[in-house]
Amino acid sequence: QVQLVESGGGLVQAGGSLRLSCVASGSIRRINAMGWFRQAIGKQRELVAGITSGGRTNYAESVKGRFTISRDNAKNTVYLQMDSLKPEDTAVYYCATSMVLTPLARYDYNSWGQGTQVTVSS
C-alpha cells in the first residue's frame, strides 16, 4: 500500500508560478510511474503529466511547454512545476502512482493523494 501527501497549492495571479510536491510512503518499492491529475468543478478528472521510473515524461497538450514534472527517487517525491498559469488551470490537483511501467490513463494508477487546491485569478 502506498500513501501520498500533496503540498504546494494556493492562490496565484495569472502568469504566476507554483510548485507542487507529493511525498510517497509505504510500499514505495512497488511504484513505477508517478503522475499528476487535476479536476475542475463540473469537469472530468484529467491527466496533467506523468513520469516513468526511467524519467520518460508525457504531458497534456493544454499544459505542454508550461508545466514540468520531475521526481527525486531518494526522497520518494514527485514535483510539478507550473509556470505561466492561466485561470483555466484552476482545479484540485491529485498525485498518483502506478505499478504499470508506462501508464496511459487514470485506470493505470492505483494509489491517490487527497489533492491540493490551485486557484489562478485573472
Side-chain angles (χ1 to χ4, degrees):
Q1 186 176 348
V2 176
Q3 294 81 45
L4 302 170
V5 180
E6 303 102 330
S7 62
L11 175 64
V12 65
Q13 293 184 337
S17 299
L18 285 174
R19 184 177 177 84
L20 305 183
S21 299
C22 173
V23 180
S25 61
S27 302
I28 57 176
R29 290 175 176 80
R30 298 181 180 179
I31 297 174
N32 280 302
M34 306 181 77
W36 289 94
F37 289 76
R38 68 185 181 186
Q39 186 166 23
I41 297 176
K43 296 185 178 180
Q44 295 182 329
R45 180 164 20 182
E46 65 173 343
L47 176 67
V48 177
I51 184 168
T52 69
S53 60
R56 188 174 183 179
T57 61
N58 68 287
Y59 298 90
E61 289 297 323
S62 60
V63 307
K64 191 174 183 179
R66 299 188 297 119
F67 291 9
T68 303
I69 188 171
S70 62
R71 63 192 294 173
D72 185 337
N73 291 327
K75 297 181 178 179
N76 302 316
T77 302
V78 62
Y79 304 94
L80 185 67
Q81 177 66 43
M82 304 184 292
D83 299 319
S84 302
L85 283 163
K86 304 175 180 179
E88 50 262 46
D89 294 319
T90 296
V92 176
Y93 284 70
Y94 298 91
C95 174
T97 64
S98 176
M99 297 175 64
V100 176
L101 292 176
T102 309
L104 299 176
R106 181 181 183 276
Y107 53 77
D108 286 325
Y109 291 83
N110 56 284
S111 297
W112 299 84
Q114 295 299 307
T116 184
Q117 177 70 47
V118 172
T119 302
V120 184
S121 64
S122 60

